[in-house]
Amino acid sequence: MHVDPALRAFAGDAVQIAAAQVRVLSAKDEWASSDRVAPILADCETLARGGAMDCCGALGALMAGEGAQAFVDGWVCAMTRAWRNAPLAQIPFRHSYSSGSGAMHLHRAGGVTLALLIVEPNAAMPPGRSPSPIATDGNW
C-alpha cells in the first residue's frame, strides 16, 4: 500500500497533529459563539434544562426553516476554512452515515441534540425487487 510521504510525516508529528486539531476546534468554537448561532445553542440549553419550546425563539425559528440555509452555510464555511488549513484534523462533531442517510451532530445539551440530517435522493425508497424465482403461472 502506498502512503503519501506528507501523510506519513504528519502522522509522525504529534505537534503538527495537535496544532491542526486546535485550529479545527477553534473554528468550531468561533462558529458556535457567532451572533447567528449562539442564541440557537442557548435555546438548546434552555430546552435541556426543561424550558418550553415557546421560550426558544431562535431555535423555534430555525426549526420552522427561517434562516436554516444560512445556518448550515455558516457552519459549512467555518469548518471548510478550518479543514482547508488542517485537512487531516479530526471532525469535532459526532457523525454517522449509512445507506444514503446520515447525521452530523452540531450541538448537544443534555438530552437535546441539534443535528443536520442528510438524505440522499432515493435513499428512502424501498429497495428494488428482483423478479421472483417462483413462477407465477403455477409451473415450477
Side-chain angles (χ1 to χ4, degrees):
M1 173 172 72
H2 171 76
V3 177
D4 186 278
L7 180 57
R8 187 181 311 276
F10 178 81
D13 187 343
V15 172
Q16 189 178 359
I17 291 171
Q21 207 58 38
V22 165
R23 283 192 296 274
V24 170
L25 292 172
S26 294
K28 175 187 175 189
D29 291 344
E30 185 177 323
W31 168 79
S33 64
S34 70
D35 292 342
R36 181 185 308 253
V37 177
I40 294 167
L41 302 186
D43 283 353
C44 291
E45 302 290 335
T46 298
L47 281 178
R49 290 190 307 273
M53 187 67 165
D54 294 346
C55 300
C56 301
L59 181 60
L62 181 66
M63 295 296 105
E66 297 172 27
Q69 187 64 55
F71 179 84
V72 172
D73 289 349
W75 176 79
V76 168
C77 288
M79 297 315 302
T80 300
R81 278 192 301 270
W83 284 315
R84 184 178 299 131
N85 295 323
L88 299 176
Q90 292 182 24
I91 296 172
F93 302 95
R94 186 175 189 180
H95 56 282
S96 62
Y97 178 86
S98 178
S99 302
S101 61
M104 180 76 68
H105 295 207
L106 303 182
H107 183 72
R108 181 162 176 88
V112 176
T113 299
L114 181 62
L116 292 176
L117 300 180
I118 301 102
V119 180
E120 291 184 24
N122 300 323
M125 302 288 290
R129 295 181 183 220
S130 58
S132 172
I134 300 174
T136 57
D137 63 2
N139 295 322
W140 299 89

